[in-house]
Structure formats: structure tokens, C-alpha cells
Amino acid sequence: MIDTSTNHAASYRPIGLSVRNGRLAWGETVLLKDFSFDVKPGSWTCLLGESGVGKSTLLRTIAGLIEPTGPTEILDHEGCALRDRVAYMAQQDLLLPWLSAIDNVMLGARLRGEAVDGDHARDILARTGVAERANARPAEMSGGERQRVALARTLMEECPIVLMDEPFSALDAITRTRLQDLAVNLLAHRTVLMVTHDPFEALRLADDVIILRGPVLDHVGSPNMPIVPPGTVPRDPTDPTLRDAHQAIMHALADPTVTEKTV
Amino acid sequence: MSFLRPIIVLGGLLAIWQTAVSAFEIAPFILPGPLSVISVAFERTDIIARHALVTLSEILLGLLFGTLFGSASALVMAYFRGARAWVLPVLVVSQAVPVFALAPVLVLWFGYGMAPKVAMATLIIYFPVTAAFYDGLRRTEVGWIDLARTMGASKAAILYHIRLPAALPAFSSGLRVAAAVAPIGAVVGEWVGSSAGLGYYMLLMNGRVQTAAMFAALFVLALMAVAIYFVIDRILRRLIDWQNELDPAVHD
Ligand SMILES: Nc1ncnc2c1ncn2[C@@H]1O[C@H](COP(=O)(O)OP(=O)(O)O)[C@@H](O)[C@H]1O
Ligand SMILES: [Mg+2]
């Protein structure tokens, strides 16, 4: 695959993400409290944690879909509000069944009443590998194709920050690996915060891994001893250091005392 | 083949009917055979067509107004929480009071012309359209709305680009029911008081013991009702062709 993402790099000034005094709650139930974390400009961070811990809630809060509770501040690395600079991709592809692939990719422009750029949309569909499906409806596409179109729609938004909530978890292993590689390629230079329940996925893709284990949040590893192995992403799944790191993360997820040592 | 099937069914029923009438020697003023009904229909094409046109106009106007009021009510209920509490009782009452009971009052108010019949048809259509469309508007996939909001869409844009198209299948099932019941409203209105329309003509022929002519009018009415349903169904299918792809019968 030709890497065309580099010629796009210039149009992005990478933006960091910073959450301060975080607090997640539904009514009286506090999911997570007193947490802060940063995502460096242009880096890829994965959020891990067991089901129901509040990963989606956190992501939706950052996306502006849920009003932040209490003192929570969500800012960019320069302390400005994020506003329209965030794109959001969910586990379901959320393609509109009455629109063709290309019309789904151009949905954002339509919704904002902007001029639609069909050529650009076609170009992005080509980069996600589904150019020939441009006029197909979602019902005619496979799960992998649909998620590729969803990725194209996310890219079309041209947002420097991309939030993804288990975007590949509904796919089979081979399709998932392909899409991970594709996403890493196409989202280079963007700041990515991705929720996953798969430690291995996190280790393949992330520059940084954060574990939610309510009511606390941990960075696994430390600046001196990062748990995420060095090297460029997507990492080779057969790399033995990946397996060691995987084990450490599984420990951290399962046993609350372990992370205190590793942080 | 899909055209042939109803014709075969209809033809079979007519054949059974004709045979029964001949075999049991039923008096023609009780139940005329299909052949005599058809011959009367051809003899009186002009007069039946004139009455049919009146009834057709009433049905179509009723469909138009019922759909307009119904859609407007559904939108108001979906978008203005305060208004919902006001519109909902109207909706329920419009369904709870039998329109047949209202017919004499409507004739009293609007006279013997088309107006009370259109009002009847409108009333009878209003509920299924409103209920179905409102339901459709409320059941929009939350993920779609979330996505649209992260894309910076206004409420109006979300309504136009997402909620409305997503509600179309529900709306169309309401409209299909409406298309099926609209003729009832018009004909009942004509029975209560009128000087034109198929309902009026049927009563008139009934009084004169011209049963075959009554049946001819009934047939034209049924034919019209089926045609209206068929046309509306066609338009709706064209409009929401994407829904057929989700049809369980297609995928199983
Ligand atoms: N809309 C909601 N209203 C109330 N509680 C919710 C809502 N959404 C999620 N929750 C609760 O918040 C908790 C975290 O949910 P979620 O963020 O979806 O977890 P995760 O994505 O980590 O699996 C769960 O216990 C869930 O029941
Ligand atoms: Mg979740």
C-alpha cells in the first residue's frame, strides 16, 4: 500500500489533549474520580479497562456528547477548549443505511451545510481501500468494508484529534489487523485516543497505555520504564517484548496492587 | 407473476360466487351473480364514474389533510416536550371517539357537500399517521445522533438529514394503514348525508332494491381502495428502497 498520509501531514498542526481534575459519574454513581492525563500532540494513546468501567463515558465526555461533571476540564495542550476539533468513531460503523458509501463519507459537510467535495471523498475512500464500493449501500457491504467507510468518514472530518471507541472489536482477527495497520497509517500526525478491551491491540498501536480501573486511572509503566515497547507502530505482533508487556498489562488489569509498583 | 396472483385469486372467488348463485337459485335482489353485476356496471358506467370521482376526491383530500396534520402533530410532539402533553390527549380522543358517531355532527356543521366526508377521512387517518411517525421520530438510533453532534450539526440538520429519513419506514407503515382505512371515512360520511358519491349511490340503489347496481358501486369502491393503496405503497417503496435491503424475508 502506498503511504499517502505523509503529503497530508502539513495541513495538521498536531494538538494535544489534556484532562484535568477529571470526574466521571452517572447521577450519584461515581465511576472515576480525581484523574488527570495528557495525550501528546500527534501520539496514539489507548484506554484499557474492563467492561462497564466507564471507557465509553469518558470518550463521549471528551467528544462533547456528555456534559463534564464537576471540576472536569477538557482542553488541548495549550489550554484551549477542544470545540470542533474532535472526530468520533464508535464500535458500530454508524453508517446511514439510506446513503451510499461516498454520501456517508460526506455526511459531516452535508450536516454543516458546507459544500461537499466528492473528489476528496473518493480519494479518501481509495486510501481506505474501498474505492470501488463508493456507490454501494451499507447493507451491501461486509463488516470490514463498512468499518473502512466509517474510517474514511472520520478522516474526511479533518480533525486533529480522533476518538475511537473499540472501532475494530466487531471484526474478525485478520480484518482487524488489516484495519489497525490502515488506521495507524492514515491517522499518522493526528492525536488519537482509542478505547479497547484488547491489551494486545493497545500494545500494537499505542505510544501510551492508560488503564481505567475505577475509581482510579493508571498509566501503565513509567517514563523511565515504559510498558509500551519502543519502535514504530503498528508493532510486529510476534515481537517477544510485546508478549512480556502483554503479561504486565494483564496483571495490572486483574490485580489492583500491581500497578502501584509499575507506575 | 406478482400481477397474476391477485387476478387468479379474484377470478377463483368470482367463479365460486357465480356457481353458488346459480346452484342455490338465490334471488337476484338478495345476491346477484357477478355476471349481472358486471353487466349493470357497464350499463351505468357514466353515473357510477361520476359518483366514484366524488368519493375519490374525498379520499384523496382526506389522505392529504390527514397526512399533513398527522405529520405536523408528530413533529410537534417529538420536538416540543411541552406541546406533547397537549397533543397526546387530542390524539387519543381522536381515536377513542368513533368517527361514525361524529359523522352526523360533521354533516350538521359542514353541510351535505364534500367537506364533512373529507373531515371524516382526515380524522380516521390522523391517528395512524401521527402515532407511527411520532414513534419513528423517537426511535432514531442514538449513535447516529451522537455522530452528527460531533460533526457540529444543528438540530434542524439532524432532523432533516437523519431523523426524518430514519422515521420514513415507520411513517410509511402508518400511511399504508391510513390508505386502507381512508375509504371507510368517506363512505360513512356519505351514508349519513349526501347527494353524491359511491356511498350515497349504494344507499339509493339499496332502497330501490337494485342490488346488482349496489354491488357494482361496491366493486368500484373496492377497486379504488386497492388502487390507492397500491399507488401509495409503490411511492413509499421507491422512497425508502434502502429498507428492502433490511427485509428479513430477503436475507433468510
Ligand atoms: N446513559 C447512561 N445513563 C446512566 N448510566 C450509564 C449510561 N451509560 C452508561 N452508564 C453506566 O456507566 C457505566 C460505564 O459505562 P460505559 O462507559 O459504557 O463503560 P465501558 O465503555 O467501559 O464498558 C456502566 O455501569 C453503565 O451502566
Ligand atoms: Mg464501551
Side-chain angles (χ1 to χ4, degrees):
Chain A
M1 172 161 285
I2 309 151
D3 184 359
T4 43
S5 59
T6 39
N7 58 25
H8 230 70
S11 54
Y12 295 105
R13 191 173 62 90
I15 287 175
L17 171 67
S18 172
V19 177
R20 293 276 159 268
N21 307 315
R23 196 181 124 91
L24 288 186
W26 284 108
E28 299 297 300
T29 323
V30 176
L31 301 173
L32 207 64
K33 59 183 181 185
D34 304 327
F35 65 91
S36 297
F37 68 90
D38 295 298
V39 180
K40 286 193 211 74
S43 75
W44 188 308
T45 298
C46 280
L47 276 174
L48 272 171
E50 64 182 312
S51 167
V53 75
K55 303 183 297 292
S56 298
T57 306
L58 176 56
L59 216 62
R60 285 159 51 81
T61 307
I62 297 170
L65 296 169
I66 300 173
E67 213 37 53
T69 40
T72 311
E73 287 180 291
I74 299 164
L75 305 163
D76 69 8
H77 65 296
E78 289 170 334
C80 303
L82 297 179
R83 249 176 267 119
D84 310 330
R85 295 176 293 175
V86 181
Y88 173 72
M89 189 173 166
Q91 179 175 355
Q92 316 94 295
D93 50 67
L94 298 182
L95 299 179
L96 299 177
W98 55 88
L99 295 182
S100 64
I102 189 156
D103 283 331
N104 265 294
V105 171
M106 299 187 296
L107 179 67
R110 284 252 162 72
L111 284 169
R112 292 184 294 272
E114 297 166 2
V116 290
D117 188 345
D119 290 338
H120 189 203
R122 230 175 294 276
D123 179 46
I124 289 181
L125 275 174
R127 278 197 265 159
T128 55
V130 277
E132 74 286 0
R133 305 299 270 151
N135 295 317
R137 293 262 178 84
E140 305 163 43
M141 291 186 261
S142 71
E145 286 173 334
R146 292 162 64 125
Q147 209 57 312
R148 280 171 194 265
V149 176
L151 182 62
R153 182 188 56 203
T154 310
L155 290 168
M156 188 78 181
E157 285 303 290
E158 310 257 304
C159 291
I161 298 176
V162 176
L163 307 176
M164 298 197 283
D165 195 347
E166 307 194 12
F168 311 127
S169 62
L171 304 172
D172 63 274
I174 297 167
T175 312
R176 188 187 317 150
T177 311
R178 286 212 186 107
L179 268 153
Q180 286 168 350
D181 295 352
L182 186 68
V184 165
N185 226 323
L186 296 176
L187 291 171
H189 314 289
R190 299 199 204 194
T191 309
V192 178
L193 183 59
M194 180 170 102
V195 165
T196 171
H197 57 235
D198 177 6
F200 212 76
E201 178 168 72
L203 287 169
R204 275 202 79 210
L205 305 178
D207 301 304
D208 192 11
V209 175
I210 295 172
I211 291 188
L212 301 190
R213 209 170 21 65
V216 293
L217 170 152
D218 290 323
H219 283 264
V220 180
S222 65
N224 310 332
M225 269 201 46
I227 196 156
V228 176
T232 53
V233 289
R235 299 187 183 86
D236 179 6
T238 56
D239 183 350
T241 55
L242 220 60
R243 282 211 304 277
D244 297 343
H246 183 252
Q247 234 162 31
I249 285 191
M250 287 309 281
H251 274 285
L253 279 168
D255 181 0
T257 57
V258 174
T259 41
E260 268 135 50
K261 281 181 246 151
T262 49
V263 168
Chain B
M1 190 58 209
S2 61
F3 280 105
L4 238 51
R5 239 173 279 143
I7 291 172
I8 291 169
V9 172
L10 206 63
L13 286 174
L14 290 178
I16 292 171
W17 176 9
Q18 183 67 51
T19 319
V21 167
S22 317
F24 299 115
E25 293 176 357
I26 298 170
F29 67 90
I30 301 285
L31 180 64
L35 291 177
S36 56
V37 171
I38 288 166
S39 74
V40 170
F42 277 108
E43 278 165 29
R44 306 191 186 178
T45 308
D46 281 359
I47 190 158
I48 291 178
R50 213 179 63 221
H51 289 295
L53 200 65
V54 172
T55 305
L56 182 66
S57 318
E58 291 162 0
I59 295 171
L60 291 182
L61 283 173
L63 271 173
L64 179 70
F65 288 125
T67 307
L68 284 180
F69 292 141
S71 307
S73 304
L75 279 169
V76 165
M77 285 204 301
Y79 274 86
F80 303 99
R81 204 166 300 204
R84 193 175 308 160
W86 295 93
V87 179
L88 213 57
V90 175
L91 185 65
V92 174
V93 167
S94 84
Q95 191 59 10
V97 177
V99 276
F100 313 106
L102 283 180
V105 182
L106 291 175
V107 171
L108 184 70
W109 288 346
F110 297 117
Y112 278 73
M114 266 170 53
K117 290 86 185 175
V118 173
M120 287 280 292
T122 303
L123 265 176
I124 219 169
I125 287 160
Y126 176 72
F127 182 79
V129 170
T130 311
F133 191 30
Y134 174 57
D135 210 43
L137 285 172
R138 268 164 46 119
R139 282 169 196 268
T140 319
E141 159 89 49
V142 185
W144 293 341
I145 311 258
D146 280 352
L147 180 71
R149 283 173 59 202
T150 64
M151 287 171 160
S154 65
K155 235 180 159 177
I158 292 178
L159 171 66
Y160 182 73
H161 288 284
I162 297 179
R163 278 194 195 270
L164 277 184
L168 268 184
F171 171 77
S172 70
S173 47
L175 197 55
R176 281 194 187 94
V177 174
V181 297
I184 300 174
V187 169
V188 169
E190 289 169 359
W191 281 346
V192 172
S194 66
S195 48
L198 287 174
Y200 160 79
Y201 184 70
M202 282 166 70
L203 271 194
L204 194 69
M205 292 301 107
N206 198 32
R208 292 182 186 172
V209 205
Q210 298 190 9
T211 316
M214 197 188 97
F215 268 88
L218 185 62
F219 265 122
V220 173
L221 181 66
L223 218 62
M224 237 161 53
V226 170
I228 289 170
Y229 183 87
F230 186 74
V231 168
I232 286 181
D233 185 60
R234 261 305 170 81
I235 294 171
L236 291 174
R237 266 172 208 275
R238 185 74 48 89
L239 207 60
I240 40 177
D241 55 348
W242 53 273
Q243 207 210 1
N244 300 339
E245 292 151 13
L246 309 177
D247 184 350
V250 175
H251 279 270
D252 280 2

